[in-house]
Amino acid sequence: MKRKLNKNQFVKRNELASDEKVINRSSVGNSGNSDVDVNVAVDTEPLAYAMLCSLLATNQMTKTEFDQAVQELERFKKKED
């Protein structure tokens, strides 16, 4: 048996029957802020360094290739700044 919930109705986890699923939803309606732009910047540089370190550690690249890749990554970052 599934319960229908109104827009502003919440159910505590322990009130659910064992065969019910919890569905998380969110919505924004009539907020007056529909013309707002949001920019999210994600720094992927640490991930790039981690990938290079992993390749070096698993002998999938040589120390020379690693050094060249790090230099190229740093050069790429300077172009962005």
Side-chain angles (χ1 to χ4, degrees), residues 27-73:
S27 65
V28 176
N30 302 321
S31 69
N33 295 326
S34 62
D35 209 15
V36 174
D37 294 329
V38 177
N39 294 320
V40 178
V42 178
D43 184 10
T44 58
E45 186 179 357
L47 181 60
Y49 279 114
M51 290 177 66
L52 290 174
C53 290
S54 176
L55 291 170
L56 180 64
T58 56
N59 294 320
Q60 295 182 49
M61 80 175 7
T62 65
K63 176 73 167 119
T64 303
E65 291 171 328
F66 174 81
D67 292 337
Q68 289 173 346
V70 168
Q71 288 174 358
E72 192 65 32
L73 185 60

